Amino acid sequence: GGGSTGVGVGCWNPAEYSEPGSFRRGDVLVLPDFIGADVPGAGSAAGSAGSNRSMEKVLTPATITKNSGTGWNLAGDEIAFGRCGLVGDWWKELSVQFEFDSPGGVTVSRVRTDSGRDLPCVAEVQIDGDSDSWRPVPVTCCDAGSSSAGSSSAGSSVVIANVTKVRCVWSETDLHKTNGLSTARGGGGVHCEVIGPADPGVTGVTGVTGVTGVTGVT
C-alpha cells in the first residue's frame, strides 16, 4: 500500500527471490492491499462516492499452525501474504489453523486467499467457549468479484464474534491448476489471511484487504 499518497510500493514474493528482470515491461501487477486516498473498495466502481461497503482489516493471529504436512516442511506462518506461501506434501491436502488470544476472541467476516477457484479453500471458525463445534465462514479470492468454489463472492461477508480459531483446508494444492502461482517467477505456494470488521469510527480505505488496483508496468 502507499499510505495517504496512494503510491504503490511492492517487492518480489518472497523478496529474496528477486533478481534483475523480475519485473518486466508489459507485466500486469495486481495490488490486493493498495491503500490510498480515493481508492475504491473491491466491487465498487472507480470514482464512485458513498460506497456502503463495510470497512475491514487483516486480523493478526497469535499463532498459525500447520495441521498437515507441508512442502519442504515449512512452518504454518509461511502462508501469510508477503511470505513464500504453502503447499501440502506432494501438493496434496493442506490444513492450517489461525489462533487468536485476545480476551473473548475476535470478530471475523471472511477469509481471503489467492488459491482461486481451481484450488478451493474451506474455512471454519471456532467460538470462545465452544470447543466442540466449527461453523463455516466465507472465503474470498484476491481478485475483486471472484471467490473460491462454494463460498460467497468478494465483497460479501458475515459477522462472527468471539472467534478464537480459524481453520483453513485445501483438499489439494497442485499449483499447476492455478493461474500464475506456480511459475519460474512466482512465489511458491498459496497464501491466506483472516479478515474482520475495522475498528469503530474508521473511515476511508485504511489497511483494508480486498481493495484491488490493476496496472501495467511501463
Side-chain angles (χ1 to χ4, degrees), residues 63-205:
T63 60
I64 307 177
T65 305
K66 59 181 181 181
N67 293 331
S68 67
T70 60
W72 303 281
N73 198 33
L74 294 176
D77 56 8
E78 293 295 336
I79 203 165
F81 282 90
R83 304 296 300 175
C84 66
L86 290 179
V87 295
D89 274 340
W90 301 102
W91 288 6
K92 295 182 180 180
E93 182 184 78
L94 173 66
S95 176
V96 296
Q97 184 167 292
F98 298 77
E99 297 196 25
F100 300 90
D101 58 3
S102 302
V106 296
T107 301
V108 171
S109 55
R110 59 189 174 102
V111 166
R112 187 184 76 142
T113 181
D114 57 1
S115 60
R117 297 177 183 272
D118 293 322
L119 295 179
C121 170
V122 175
E124 299 174 303
V125 301
Q126 193 172 90
I127 307 301
D128 186 31
D130 184 10
S131 60
D132 296 326
S133 62
W134 295 81
R135 64 180 66 182
V137 64
V139 178
T140 61
C141 296
C142 292
D143 297 333
S146 66
S147 65
S148 292
S151 68
S152 62
S153 61
S156 65
S157 63
V158 297
V159 176
I160 305 177
N162 307 119
V163 173
T164 56
K165 297 178 182 179
V166 179
R167 181 172 62 193
C168 301
V169 179
W170 292 258
S171 61
E172 63 168 325
T173 49
D174 183 352
L175 297 187
H176 286 118
K177 295 183 178 180
T178 66
N179 183 25
L181 285 182
S182 178
T183 69
R185 299 162 58 210
V190 301
H191 302 87
C192 186
E193 63 190 1
V194 182
I195 309 297
D199 297 329
V202 170
T203 60
V205 179

